[in-house]
Amino acid sequence: MTAQPAFDLIFRNALLRSSATPVDIGVRGGRIAAVGPRLACEAVEIDVGGRLALPGFVDTHIHLDKACLLDRCGHEHGGVAQAIRAVAGMKKDFTIEDVYARGARVLERAIVHGTTRMRTHVEIDPRIGLRGFEAVKALKRDYAWAIDLSLCVFPQEGLTNDPGSEELLIQALRDGGETIGGCPYTDTDPNAHLARIFDLAQEFDVDVDLHLDFDLDPSWWHLDEVCRQTEQRNYQGRVAIGHATKLSALPPARLKAAITQLAKAGVAVTVLPATDLYLMGREATHDAPRGLTLAHRLVDGGVRCSVATNNVLNPFTPFGDASLLRMANFYANVAHASVADFGTCLDLVTELPARLMNLADYGVEVGNPADLVVLDTQDSRFAIAELPDIMMGFKNGRQTFERARPTLFKPPN
């Protein structure tokens, strides 16, 4: 064995995606201090048994403030506009305590499904004020023991056409908002909406994460303006767009050009399978389009991408358990991903979203936080294919959850 200084904890026999055989991971002071075979040291030991250890899943796009609303929905579920109207009608009555309770319900599901980093979008406008923001700030504080929660503040129902929203956005950015979002397709002046969002991003030195091009009509879009603003302001690598379902409606030549444009501008794309599939093509009587942008193909073209949750149990998505592994499996199935693409599909909920969020301390590497989740598989190729149970999780070297393996009770012979 290789002698090492004292560790607080050693994970024995952990299979990493980067290693052909299991290794040991030494933890000191909540951070990874060594990775290698047969580390020799007196410390608390956890034998992973050759199972796959990941640095945790990364959810770049979720809405904790409007989750778990199905019991309040008295409308017929329809497209994007109907979902926006339905939530707009409810959120004026949201309280801090209500948002906190619903958000905590989803956050706890995400934690036990292995998510260790998350960016939640938080609506800011005169109807909700800063109540949702205050609730999610409290969730960030109270669940820091298990997950790093980052707040993206944004106006869902417009900006230039919604007096009072900008002042509230500024207040939120001054009080802990870490990213700014936008929704230009709900604004009467989409380009002015985008310009102002980028102005505020530069003023507060925060990244941009937009809801964009959320339909299946490729005859117009706001992608060109987003790329132009990104390059003009030298914001390459700091801008992401969510949904971008119009990309799924492009013929091959136009899609190739769009991929080149996104890669050149350094604009990332987040695909939200559950919502995009639920809301797109609902008017079709037959042969309904999927409306799902192929993130793994964009990655092949040099675009930084992620697959994320978006909404859970509300008018936008009346499904969900906040499991990113399930979402990646769902995406791979619907996107016709081949077995050779399964590694990229796992990347779309781990390394790639970490890069999209510019997380410099993500990964099972010396010096990084000891954030680990253990999957019940001994072959990383099957993580997407068979949806293995997520057995246990650790944040900064402290265990956050454990899931017992199921027991079969066979009849006696």
Side-chain angles (χ1 to χ4, degrees):
M1 289 190 173
T2 304
Q4 295 286 339
F7 299 126
D8 305 320
L9 172 67
I10 295 179
F11 295 96
R12 297 286 188 198
N13 303 311
L15 179 68
L16 306 182
R17 293 182 69 192
S18 59
S19 61
T21 57
V23 297
D24 295 344
I25 304 167
V27 177
R28 186 186 311 115
R31 293 188 171 268
I32 297 171
V35 178
R38 304 176 65 204
L39 298 179
C41 178
E42 291 294 325
V44 175
E45 296 187 4
I46 295 177
D47 192 342
V48 178
R51 295 184 182 89
L52 179 64
L54 299 174
F57 299 110
V58 182
D59 202 331
T60 63
H61 191 127
I62 193 169
H63 295 263
L64 293 176
D65 57 337
K66 57 188 182 190
C68 304
L69 295 172
L70 285 188
D71 59 343
R72 309 181 195 184
C73 296
H75 75 294
E76 283 296 321
H77 288 242
V80 179
Q82 293 95 326
I84 291 174
R85 283 198 298 272
V87 173
M90 289 185 272
K91 71 182 178 184
K92 65 181 183 301
D93 297 322
F94 289 175
T95 65
I96 293 175
E97 295 75 18
D98 167 48
V99 173
Y100 184 98
R102 290 185 288 103
R105 176 180 165 187
V106 174
L107 204 54
E108 291 182 7
R109 294 296 300 276
I111 290 166
V112 298
H113 285 307
T115 298
T116 56
R117 313 280 184 111
M118 176 183 284
R119 174 183 287 171
T120 181
H121 291 246
V122 185
E123 294 190 20
I124 305 288
D125 61 42
R127 268 78 58 203
I128 183 66
L130 296 176
R131 297 190 303 279
F133 177 69
E134 292 299 330
V136 177
K137 275 204 309 179
L139 288 170
K140 174 185 173 76
R141 178 195 66 225
D142 293 348
Y143 285 90
W145 56 271
I147 190 167
D148 293 326
L149 187 60
S150 175
L151 279 61
C152 176
V153 296
F154 86 111
Q156 171 76 80
E157 299 170 46
L159 182 61
T160 69
N161 57 329
D162 198 5
S165 289
E166 182 172 326
E167 291 77 9
L168 288 167
L169 274 175
I170 291 171
Q171 190 173 341
L173 288 167
R174 287 173 175 164
D175 195 26
E178 296 154 277
T179 308
I180 189 167
C183 199
Y185 53 81
T186 63
D187 203 307
T188 51
D189 192 342
N191 285 355
H193 179 114
L194 288 169
R196 193 63 191 126
I197 293 300
F198 274 93
D199 286 343
L200 291 171
Q202 288 190 298
E203 180 180 346
F204 287 92
D205 191 24
V206 296
D207 291 355
V208 175
D209 195 336
L210 304 161
H211 293 64
L212 204 77
D213 294 340
F214 195 14
D215 61 45
L216 297 177
D217 179 2
S219 66
W220 63 272
W221 63 12
H222 299 127
L223 187 146
D224 290 340
E225 179 63 15
V226 170
C227 290
R228 189 188 71 81
Q229 291 272 0
T230 301
E231 293 182 302
Q232 176 185 312
R233 298 168 187 261
N234 295 317
Y235 242 57
Q236 295 92 333
R238 301 190 66 180
V239 178
I241 57 176
H243 300 293
T245 50
K246 288 179 185 284
L247 292 171
S248 74
L250 296 179
R254 281 194 64 194
L255 179 59
K256 182 178 180 181
I259 291 173
T260 300
Q261 181 182 15
L262 287 163
K264 176 177 176 292
V267 173
V269 176
T270 293
V271 173
L272 304 159
T275 301
D276 297 347
L277 284 158
Y278 180 72
L279 292 178
M280 295 297 99
R282 294 185 68 84
E283 70 285 352
T285 59
H286 62 285
D287 199 19
R290 298 183 181 210
L292 185 76
T293 292
L294 300 183
H296 65 293
R297 297 296 178 224
L298 270 62
V299 170
D300 289 343
V303 180
R304 193 174 296 181
C305 292
S306 67
V307 161
T309 300
N310 196 43
N311 282 289
V312 176
L313 304 177
N314 73 10
F316 293 88
T317 319
F319 311 99
D321 59 359
S323 168
L324 280 178
L325 188 61
R326 185 183 68 83
M327 193 64 69
N329 168 278
F330 181 47
Y331 166 83
N333 199 329
V334 177
H336 290 153
S338 68
V339 174
D341 296 320
F342 285 179
T344 301
C345 292
L346 187 55
D347 291 340
L348 286 166
V349 292
T350 52
E351 282 84 359
L352 289 171
R355 280 196 265 157
L356 184 153
M357 289 179 61
N358 292 310
L359 302 177
D361 61 351
Y362 178 84
V364 185
E365 299 178 8
V366 173
N368 285 347
D371 299 349
L372 292 171
V373 294
V374 177
L375 280 61
D376 192 16
T377 181
Q378 294 179 318
D379 191 330
S380 64
R381 295 175 299 174
F382 295 119
I384 293 295
E386 66 177 350
L387 285 177
D389 288 338
I390 300 168
M391 305 301 296
M392 62 185 79
F394 297 80
K395 185 68 179 169
N396 296 320
R398 176 189 176 276
Q399 188 161 7
T400 54
F401 73 90
E402 183 175 23
R403 181 182 284 109
R405 297 188 73 181
T407 301
L408 288 176
F409 296 98
K410 296 181 180 181
N413 293 331

